[in-house]
């Protein structure tokens, strides 16, 4: 999802389709098994996790890898069998003052916030104040209509599992200053994007659905969202140093770890503190110690310090499958995603902030929880994961490999459907990321995060780089890796409209003009039309200078967009559109104004009686102008 969209989804969840053998799907938390049975009935087959052993393992790993990864500071919290095994900081929270990172240092949790917000929603549901099967519009009547172009509104449960149909719009979701920040109710009222697909069909990652759930809780309780979280979650769990408040309370702000970006040659740039508009999805600030308490509550049936701090239905909802397109695909609970790391099946959530990276991992059968946070940005200007972020995630995986046995992998190849060869063409086509924004220029992510499905002629299909065969209607199994499945999803008329790798890895079937092949052909036409005109007509004696200037501006714009996608720090767009990009996005307006002179230019050309070659240049250029204006309008590449 990605030179452009990969800055987001990366933001996000890994697409590693694999069956999750821990539990079958549950209809609702209220009908789930008893929490004690869920967390304690399975024997703990892992080696004994003793504090000294864990500390020695983490210390050694940090000593070997942290400096090479250019990670300024790290927080690690590990809980097991009802105890905090490790809660420790490494390196520096502030490089300038050499302030040490500790387990009490506040860090920005990013999208790990979604897990906390989900738990609070379930707590409110346990009180009977909000219904999981009710549409969210019931609690936000002035904001959400009961129906829209995609049918009925999403329910609370559907939004908890990211099946509400909203796109992953990120531009402007942060504010660089408090003066530019908008409290949640006003921001949602002014900026909530339209849904891009019906609810329930496929899950797709975004922060808007948790923002809507947060505001729904605020409306139900008649309090601002940060106060709701304090009442429902943080106070009962004793998370005294965790907050969603903005601006931050003074003691937390003073102790907050600074975020950094490594620039090379030993130089670190501090990432300026910003303000989060979609607070419930990405705005939590917490500590290693507080996250240890949160993990203990989830792994120990809601009990903290011998008291029942969370409802059993809350824990059940957080730890059991609640959304799945098929039992063989990985899925989501009401606040976490399933994932297999080095053969270990876990629940997890990443939190990718502008200056901090986080990972929360739970292995309920083993009563093991891991929280890690690094105060280095997860993504660099090239939209690649930074070494500091990879170091933090790899430490979590190494801990799992060291202390947990691998999950059984006994998936065998299933027989293909008898008519698989005849059915295969039904699924072929081009698929783009289901949650691609439609209202800003990050819509270009549709060109960069996509999947082609091609029929092999022998009953198999190629999906991306893998070869699959249909083993059940709509379900395909990887031939080389039998544990990997892909599920196709139909729309109401029964046509294939989406495919999913599980989790939130969903793709929507694209129309012909949305494919990279079509768009690259269109760009080639524009470049040829503008470049040939600009380079050749000055030597023919038949140059219309407004059209010549138009061609140069259009070429400069196309080059600028390519440079922006390849070199710009796209994370900055979360906060604001840089001045140079605004200047770039003014060019289409100038091209449009100059294009108005085209009829006059053609009339003048007619009077000058040019040779046929000149007419050809003008004809190709005119086609390029039409293509250019459609291109910038379709992909929102202009200043609004």
């Amino acid at each position: 999802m990605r030179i452009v969209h990969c800055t987001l989804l990366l933001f996000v969840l890994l697409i590693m389709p694999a069956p999750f053998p821990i539990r079958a799907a549950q209809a609702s938390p209220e009908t789930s098994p008893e929490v004690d049975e869920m967390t304690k009935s399975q024997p703990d087959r892992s080696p004994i996790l003793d504090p000294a052993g864990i500390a020695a393992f983490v210390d050694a790993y940090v000593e070997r890898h942290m400096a090479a990864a250019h990670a300024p500071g790290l927080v690690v919290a590990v809980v097991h069998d009802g105890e905090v095994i490790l809660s420790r900081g490494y390196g520096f929270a502030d490089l300038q003052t050499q302030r040490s990172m500790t387990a009490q240092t506040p860090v920005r949790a990013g999208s790990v916030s979604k897990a906390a917000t989900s738990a609070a929603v379930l707590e409110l549901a346990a009180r009977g104040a909000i219904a999981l099967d009710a549409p969210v519009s019931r609690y936000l009547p002035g904001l959400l209509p009961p129906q829209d172009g995609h049918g009925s509104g999403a329910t609370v449960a559907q939004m908890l599992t990211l099946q509400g149909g909203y796109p992953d719009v990120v531009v402007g979701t942060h504010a660089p200053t408090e003066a530019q920040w908008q409290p949640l109710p006003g921001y949602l009222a002014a900026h909530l994007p339209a849904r891009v697909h019906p609810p329930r069909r496929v899950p797709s990652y975004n922060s808007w659905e948790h923002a809507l759930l947060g505001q729904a809780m605020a409306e139900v309780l008649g309090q601002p969202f940060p106060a709701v979280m304090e009442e429902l979650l943080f106070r009962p769990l004793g998370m005294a140093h965790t907050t969603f408040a903005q601006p931050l309370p003074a003691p937390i702000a003073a102790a907050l770890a600074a975020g950094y970006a490594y620039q090379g040659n030993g130089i670190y740039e501090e990432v300026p503190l910003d303000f989060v508009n979609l607070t419930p999805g990405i705005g939590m600030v917490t500590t290693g110690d507080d996250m240890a308490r949160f993990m203990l509550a989830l792994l120990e049936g809601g009990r903290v310090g011998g008291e029942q701090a969370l409802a059993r239905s809350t824990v059940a909802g957080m730890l059991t499958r609640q959304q799945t397109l098929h039992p063989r695909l990985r899925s989501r609970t009401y606040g976490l995603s399933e994932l297999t790391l080095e053969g270990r099946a876990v629940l997890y959530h990443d939190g990718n902030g502008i200056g901090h990276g986080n990972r929360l991992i739970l292995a309920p059968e083993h009563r093991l929880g891991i929280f890690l946070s690094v105060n280095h940005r997860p993504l660099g200007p090239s939209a690649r994961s930074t070494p500091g972020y990879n170091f933090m995630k790899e430490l979590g995986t190494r801990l799992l490999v060291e202390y947990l046995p691998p999950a059984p992998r006994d998936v065998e190849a299933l027989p293909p459907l008898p008519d698989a060869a005849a059915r295969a063409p039904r699924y072929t086509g081009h698929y783009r990321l289901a949650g691609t924004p439609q209202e800003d220029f990050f819509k270009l992510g549709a060109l960069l995060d996509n999947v082609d499905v091609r029929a092999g002629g022998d009953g198999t299909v190629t999906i991306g780089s893998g070869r699959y065969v249909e083993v059940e209607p709509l379900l395909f199994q990887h031939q080389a890796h039998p544990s990997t499945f892909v599920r196709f999803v139909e729309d109401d008329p029964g046509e294939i409209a989406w495919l999913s790798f599980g989790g939130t890895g969903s793709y929507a079937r694209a129309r012909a003009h949305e494919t990279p092949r079509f768009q690259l052909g269109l760009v080639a036409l524009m470049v040829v039309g503008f470049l040939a005109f600009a380079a050749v007509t000055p030597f023919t004696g038949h140059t219309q200078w407004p059209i010549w200037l138009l061609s140069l501006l259009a070429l400069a714009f196309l080059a600028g967009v390519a440079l922006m996608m390849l070199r710009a720090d796209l994370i900055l767009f979360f906060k604001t559109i840089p001045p140079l990009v605004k200047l770039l996005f003014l060019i289409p307006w100038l091209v449009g104004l100059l294009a108005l002179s085209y009829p006059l230019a053609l009339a003048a050309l007619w009077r000058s009686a040019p040779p046929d070659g000149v007419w050809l240049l003008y004809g190709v250029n005119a086609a390029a102008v039409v293509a250019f204006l459609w291109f910038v309008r379709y992909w929102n590449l202009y200043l609004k």
Side-chain angles (χ1 to χ4, degrees):
M1 298 183 170
R2 335 184 171 186
I3 294 176
V4 169
H5 209 76
C6 146
T7 56
L8 321 174
L9 290 172
L10 289 178
F11 296 164
V12 243
L13 303 174
L14 297 173
I15 302 173
M16 295 178 61
F20 192 71
I22 288 183
R23 270 174 217 94
Q26 302 293 330
S28 72
E30 288 74 18
T31 60
S32 299
E34 286 298 309
V35 175
D36 284 344
E37 295 176 5
M38 295 186 321
T39 57
K40 296 183 179 180
S41 62
Q42 297 291 331
D44 188 350
R45 297 170 293 158
S46 63
I48 296 174
L49 279 76
D50 66 283
I54 285 283
F57 181 87
V58 175
D59 288 350
Y61 186 89
V62 168
E63 185 176 357
R64 288 195 305 270
H65 301 290
M66 186 168 173
H70 307 294
L74 174 73
V75 172
V76 183
V78 181
V79 301
H80 178 250
D81 200 18
E83 301 289 339
V84 178
I85 301 299
L86 177 71
S87 189
R88 182 176 294 184
Y90 298 85
F92 298 103
D94 190 312
L95 291 174
Q96 183 176 1
T97 64
Q98 297 288 283
R99 176 164 55 93
S100 296
M101 183 76 87
T102 73
Q104 297 80 44
T105 302
V107 296
R108 302 186 70 179
S111 287
V112 172
S113 307
K114 293 179 175 65
T117 297
S118 298
V121 172
L122 295 174
E123 279 295 285
L124 201 57
R127 298 182 183 185
I130 197 169
L132 297 180
D133 60 355
V136 180
S137 59
R138 175 186 298 180
Y139 308 104
L140 299 171
L143 180 63
L144 295 179
Q147 297 262 346
D148 64 12
H150 291 292
S152 59
T155 66
V156 173
Q158 287 164 356
M159 286 197 184
L160 281 171
T161 53
L162 296 177
Q163 289 183 291
Y166 285 90
D168 191 20
V169 175
V170 298
V171 175
T173 54
H174 294 236
T177 66
E178 184 182 353
Q180 294 168 285
W181 172 73
Q182 289 181 267
L184 183 62
Y187 187 79
L188 288 174
H191 300 285
L192 180 66
R195 293 193 295 178
V196 293
H197 56 80
R200 194 192 78 257
R201 295 303 176 87
V202 290
S204 56
Y205 192 84
N206 68 91
S207 292
W208 294 91
E209 291 173 30
H210 279 80
L212 289 167
L213 291 171
Q215 185 55 32
M217 288 193 291
E219 295 289 342
V220 168
L221 293 182
Q223 303 177 52
F225 172 73
V228 168
M229 293 301 297
E230 180 71 20
E231 175 184 331
L232 293 176
L233 199 70
F234 301 150
R235 192 180 302 121
L237 296 187
M239 299 171 68
H241 303 287
T242 300
T243 185
F244 278 93
Q246 293 185 92
L248 291 171
I252 293 179
L256 182 69
Y260 292 96
Y262 183 67
Q263 303 297 317
N265 299 318
I267 299 173
Y268 291 82
E269 179 184 2
E270 184 172 344
V271 178
L273 180 66
D274 58 34
F275 295 81
V276 180
N277 290 314
L278 295 179
T279 314
I282 45 182
M284 184 171 73
V285 171
T286 189
T287 68
D289 282 351
D290 278 7
M291 287 304 296
R293 298 182 72 85
F294 181 60
M295 293 188 293
L296 282 175
L298 293 179
L299 294 170
E300 300 304 314
R303 293 183 294 274
V304 175
E307 297 185 2
Q308 193 70 34
L310 295 180
R312 290 174 177 267
S313 60
T314 295
V315 178
M318 293 289 291
L319 299 185
T320 58
R321 272 190 171 195
Q322 305 296 338
Q323 162 266 105
T324 185
L325 296 176
H326 191 279
R328 292 187 179 274
L329 265 67
R330 73 184 182 98
S331 186
R332 281 185 66 87
T333 74
Y334 278 143
L336 301 164
S337 277
E338 299 171 350
L339 184 64
T340 300
L341 293 170
E342 295 280 351
R344 278 71 179 172
V346 297
L347 300 172
Y348 91 114
H349 212 299
D350 280 353
N352 308 328
I354 290 180
H356 295 248
N358 307 268
R359 172 159 281 190
L360 171 66
I361 302 172
L362 298 179
E365 277 69 19
H366 303 283
R367 299 168 67 194
L368 173 68
I370 302 169
F371 173 74
L372 307 108
S373 181
V374 63
N375 58 333
H376 190 284
R377 59 182 293 171
L379 299 172
S382 61
R384 296 176 183 270
S385 293
T386 60
Y389 185 54
N390 291 335
F391 152 76
M392 179 272 296
K393 292 196 298 182
E394 183 62 19
L395 172 54
T397 302
R398 291 306 102 204
L399 281 167
L400 293 175
V401 171
E402 182 72 12
Y403 291 102
L404 292 190
R409 298 183 68 85
D410 55 357
V411 180
E412 59 184 29
L414 301 174
L417 293 181
D419 58 345
R423 294 170 59 87
R426 182 177 185 229
Y427 303 101
T428 58
H430 184 79
Y431 294 76
R432 59 174 177 80
L433 180 65
T436 301
Q438 300 297 301
E439 300 174 8
D440 60 48
F441 62 92
F442 271 46
K443 184 179 181 180
L444 279 170
L447 298 178
L448 301 165
D449 187 6
N450 48 76
V451 176
D452 280 316
V453 178
R454 300 179 296 275
D458 57 354
T460 65
V461 298
T462 300
I463 303 175
S465 59
R467 201 166 187 80
Y468 293 76
V469 66
E470 191 173 13
V471 294
E472 295 178 15
L474 305 175
L475 182 71
F476 284 73
Q477 185 179 36
H478 198 294
Q479 289 197 300
H481 304 285
S483 62
T484 300
F485 292 83
V486 171
R487 172 73 153 79
F488 287 83
V489 179
E490 297 173 324
D491 59 15
D492 286 335
E495 300 296 327
I496 300 299
W498 300 275
L499 70 78
S500 176
F501 292 97
T504 54
S506 302
Y507 292 79
R509 201 169 197 171
R511 295 167 290 183
H513 65 271
E514 295 174 319
T515 64
R517 179 176 299 179
F518 178 91
Q519 292 296 323
L520 286 174
L522 195 67
V523 170
L525 167 65
M526 290 187 281
V527 170
V528 169
F530 293 133
L531 188 59
F533 188 92
V536 176
T537 56
F539 301 100
T540 66
H542 297 281
T543 300
Q544 298 297 314
W545 295 107
I547 309 304
W548 185 82
L549 178 60
L550 174 157
S551 299
L552 289 184
L553 286 172
L555 286 170
F557 176 80
L558 294 173
V561 169
L563 188 64
M564 177 189 73
M565 293 171 64
L566 293 173
R567 300 292 300 276
D569 189 352
L570 296 175
I571 293 293
L572 293 177
F573 294 114
F574 284 41
K575 297 189 284 188
T576 185
I577 299 178
L580 283 178
V581 175
K582 290 183 178 180
L583 185 63
L584 176 68
F585 283 4
L586 276 175
I587 292 178
W589 290 104
L590 298 177
V591 171
L593 288 173
L594 290 169
L596 295 177
S597 68
Y598 227 108
L600 295 177
L602 292 178
L605 185 66
W606 179 269
R607 289 193 296 270
S608 66
D612 290 345
V614 172
W615 278 112
L616 178 62
L617 285 173
Y618 273 87
V620 175
N621 182 269
V625 171
V626 173
F628 179 88
L629 295 176
W630 178 87
F631 182 81
V632 298
R633 176 66 183 87
Y634 184 79
W635 298 110
N636 302 309
L637 299 173
Y638 59 96
L639 192 64
K640 297 183 181 181

